[in-house]
Structure formats: C-alpha cells, structure tokens
C-alpha cells in the first residue's frame, strides 16, 4: 500500500495550534477539587514527562527517517510532543499543582529511566526497533493516558486542550504505523541484519528494565486514581490491532517481539506480571533518583508559559 506522506505533512502543518490559542484563565478550574488535585498531581507529572519521552523518541527517529518527507513529519511530531508537555504543565499550574516558583514536577523513577535510556541509546537503536517502540509507547501511554484524564476532569479548558492533543495523537499513531508498514516492505534479509547487527545486549537489557516496569507502574497509578486497568490494557491491545492492518508490518522482527510483549501485558494472569513486571516495579522504586544524574539538557525546554510555537 502506498501512503501519501506529502499530504500528511500538509495536514500536520494545517492543524498546528499553540498554547496562546487557549484562554488559561477561563472559568472551570474550580471543578478540580482538593481531593481530585491530590489524586491527580503525580499522574499529571508523569504525563508531562511521558510526552517528553515521546519527543525524545521522535528526535531520534528524525535522524533515521527513510525519506525527507517523513523526516519533516518527525520534526513536527517532536515539537508537538513538547507542546503537549507544556500544555499539560500549564493545566497543572491552572489547577494549583505546581510549587509557588512554578518548578517542574519530578517524574517517577521509571519515567526517569526511560528518559535516560533514550538519551544514552536512542540514537543507536536501529530504525525498525525505534519505529516499533514509539507506536507501542504511543498506544499504551501517550495517547491513552490523556483519555483517562477526560474521564476524571470536568474542566472545559482541559477538554479544549485535549481536543487538540488527541487530534495530534491520531496523526502520530497513523504515521507511526504507516512507517512501520513501509519498513516491513523492504527486503527481509536487510531487516534482520539491521536488527541483529545493531542490538547490543546492554540495549536489550536497558529496554527490558525500562519498558516493562514503565507500563506496570502506570497501571498502578491508574488504579490508584480509581480508574480501571482494563482501559490501559485496551489501549495496549490497539498496538496489535492497528499493526495487523498493515500488509507488511508483520515482517518487522521488532514488531513481532513487541507484539508478543503487548500480549503478555494485557493478560493479567500471565506469569509475566508476577515474575517480571511487578517485581521490576518494586525493584526500580528502590533506585535512588540521584543515581540517574541530572535531567538532560533537552528537558529544560519544558515551560508552562503560553509561548506560541
Ligand atoms: Fe503526546
Ligand atoms: Fe504522540
């Protein structure tokens, strides 16, 4: 199937929005009660940082994009993920979730590790691996978590912000899977050589330690917010459902591996949770945050200021 990436790029350009388009002082902030604020503040902080994980992923993807148009699309997506982070931070400010000095909230340890691994290894991952990992993260977290928010919050400004974000995300997911299908249409031996040749053991171990507890940690957070883990699992399931629509996607080795992982994630009875994912959440919770060092330079681009971008 031939995809029209030029038309997609034009749509992306046409749909650009900015934080300055939103009236951050409009009524509705009072709908966030003290109880809701306390419950949601850590979730929002994680969400802001997950957007940054997405931004970092697209920055790496842009460097490996198979065509100039896809390169340009990824550059837009990189900026859009940063915009999502900033919009969510502006919502946190609106709801009184930030310190007096507007300081950036700390991400949980699993998100911190994801940022670190992407920073250290993101650029060395093969295109097919990264192009598979990003849609899984987008299905499971980036796109899904924002939908949970809308179930919990009545604030009309929040709903307006997420109309924009969800519209962006629908294009992210569409392009993610179109590129995956495009990669799958290449010669199979090249895919295998690219995958095996580039995957160093430390990268595989890094990904397991990061990715596996990241999803389960978010599940714990969602359950703590009183939401059903089923919704998260349904979001993860979309990875296999959308992937199966591409004629060539199944030929990408990384896709097969991550699809198998997604299948274990959505089956709560699978030993994967008892023996790997949940223990890894507990283990990583004990890692002192300072071991991971200072946040990397690109995380300094986070701001709740409604700058036009
Ligand atoms: Fe996003
Ligand atoms: Fe996204």
């Amino acid at each position: 199937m031939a995809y029209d990436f030029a038309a997609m790029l034009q749509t992306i350009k046409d749909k650009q929005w900015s934080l300055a388009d939103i009236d951050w002082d409009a009524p509705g902030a009072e709908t966030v009660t003290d109880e809701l604020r306390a419950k949601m503040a850590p979730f929002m902080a994680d969400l802001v940082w997950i957007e940054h994980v997405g931004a970092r992923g697209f920055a790496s993807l842009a460097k490996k994009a198979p065509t100039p148009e896809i390169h340009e699309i990824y550059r837009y997506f990189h900026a859009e993920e940063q915009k999502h982070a900033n919009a969510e931070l502006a919502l946190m400010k609106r709801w009184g979730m930030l310190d007096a000095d507007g300081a950036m909230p700390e991400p949980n340890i699993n998100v911190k590790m994801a940022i670190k691994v992407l920073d250290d290894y993101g650029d060395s991952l093969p295109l097919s691996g990264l192009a598979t990992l990003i849609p899984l993260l987008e299905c499971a977290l980036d796109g899904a978590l924002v939908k949970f928010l809308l179930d919990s919050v009545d604030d009309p400004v929040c709903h307006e912000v997420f109309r924009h974000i969800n519209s962006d995300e629908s294009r992210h997911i569409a392009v993610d899977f179109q590129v995956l299908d495009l990669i799958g249409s290449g010669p199979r031996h090249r895919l295998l050589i690219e995958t095996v040749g580039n995957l160093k053991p430390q990268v595989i171990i890094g990904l397991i330690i990061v990715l596996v507890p990241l999803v389960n940690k978010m599940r714990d957070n969602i359950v703590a917010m009183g939401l059903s883990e089923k919704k998260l699992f349904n979001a993860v399931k979309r990875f296999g459902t959308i992937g199966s629509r591409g004629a060539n996607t199944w030929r990408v080795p990384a896709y097969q591996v991550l699809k198998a992982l997604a299948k274990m994630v959505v089956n709560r009875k699978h030993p994967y949770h008892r023996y790997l994912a949940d223990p890894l959440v507990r283990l990583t919770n004990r890692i002192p945050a300072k071991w991971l060092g200072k946040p990397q330079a690109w995380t300094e681009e986070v701001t709740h200021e409604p700058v036009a971008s």
Side-chain angles (χ1 to χ4, degrees):
M1 173 158 188
Y3 298 107
D4 192 346
F5 290 105
M8 177 56 96
L9 178 58
Q10 193 53 51
T11 312
I12 292 164
K13 287 180 180 171
D14 294 343
K15 299 268 183 176
Q16 287 303 302
W17 59 284
S18 100
L19 265 67
D21 299 339
I22 311 234
D23 178 5
W24 296 100
D25 298 319
E30 69 285 351
T31 56
V32 176
T33 59
D34 288 348
E35 192 196 351
L36 191 59
R37 182 180 302 117
K39 225 161 55 174
M40 281 200 4
F43 176 85
M44 288 297 292
D46 287 345
L47 193 55
V48 168
W49 285 104
I50 284 168
E51 302 286 7
H52 266 278
V53 172
R56 186 62 183 81
F58 282 123
S60 284
L61 273 176
K63 290 186 187 159
K64 304 165 199 285
T67 71
E69 270 151 3
I70 297 174
H71 170 80
E72 197 58 12
I73 290 175
Y74 284 151
R75 280 190 352 110
Y76 269 94
F77 286 178
H78 175 192
E80 285 178 0
E81 298 294 15
Q82 285 182 326
K83 188 159 56 187
H84 298 173
N86 290 343
E88 287 152 13
L89 202 59
L91 278 175
M92 291 184 78
K93 187 172 179 241
R94 172 176 162 84
W95 294 334
M97 290 175 179
L98 300 183
D99 299 345
D101 58 353
M104 187 56 204
E106 283 273 307
N108 77 48
I109 190 81
N110 299 101
V111 175
K112 247 184 189 163
M113 285 168 68
I115 293 172
K116 175 130 185 79
V117 165
L118 264 180
D119 246 15
D120 292 352
Y121 301 115
D123 291 346
S124 72
L125 277 176
L127 169 67
S128 66
L130 200 59
T132 311
L133 185 62
I134 298 299
L136 177 62
L137 285 175
E138 295 228 75
C139 283
L141 302 173
D142 190 21
L145 295 181
V146 298
K147 295 201 181 75
F148 296 145
L149 250 184
L150 297 181
D151 290 347
S152 316
V153 181
D154 290 327
D155 184 356
V157 172
C158 174
H159 283 254
E160 189 191 343
V161 168
F162 284 110
R163 251 195 309 278
H164 286 300
I165 292 184
N166 281 334
S167 156
D168 292 347
E169 288 306 341
S170 67
R171 285 181 292 281
H172 293 188
I173 297 261
V175 171
D176 287 343
F177 283 98
Q178 287 171 4
V179 172
L180 208 50
D181 195 35
L182 182 74
I183 293 170
S185 67
R188 191 130 206 234
H189 66 273
R190 211 177 63 203
L191 272 171
L192 278 170
I193 291 168
E194 191 226 20
T195 309
V196 177
N198 278 292
L199 277 184
K200 301 175 189 77
Q202 67 265 41
V203 176
I204 299 172
I205 292 168
L207 283 176
I208 291 173
I209 293 177
V210 166
L211 193 64
V212 166
L214 180 64
V215 174
N216 274 46
K217 172 75 176 191
M218 288 320 291
R219 184 210 61 216
D220 293 349
N221 287 0
I222 285 161
V223 172
M225 276 175 68
L227 296 167
S228 149
E229 67 177 10
K230 254 221 162 90
K231 284 198 166 180
L232 177 66
F233 291 171
N234 284 342
V236 176
K237 268 188 202 153
R238 280 184 74 211
F239 178 73
T241 317
I242 308 178
S244 67
R245 289 183 202 144
N248 301 297
T249 307
W250 63 272
R251 299 172 79 235
V252 180
Y255 171 74
Q256 290 297 343
V257 172
L258 290 187
K259 200 176 86 168
L261 177 74
K263 221 173 162 183
M264 293 191 287
V265 167
V266 298
N267 179 1
R268 200 62 188 100
K269 293 202 185 83
H270 196 284
Y272 161 87
H273 291 276
R274 211 170 347 129
Y275 295 114
L276 185 67
D278 289 338
L280 271 178
V281 173
R282 286 194 293 274
L283 193 74
T284 48
N285 274 342
R286 291 206 206 118
I287 297 176
K290 61 173 193 265
W291 279 14
L292 298 177
K294 282 207 176 77
Q296 289 69 17
W298 53 269
T299 59
E300 280 162 18
E301 289 151 22
V302 189
T303 170
H304 57 74
E305 297 295 337
V307 285
S309 64

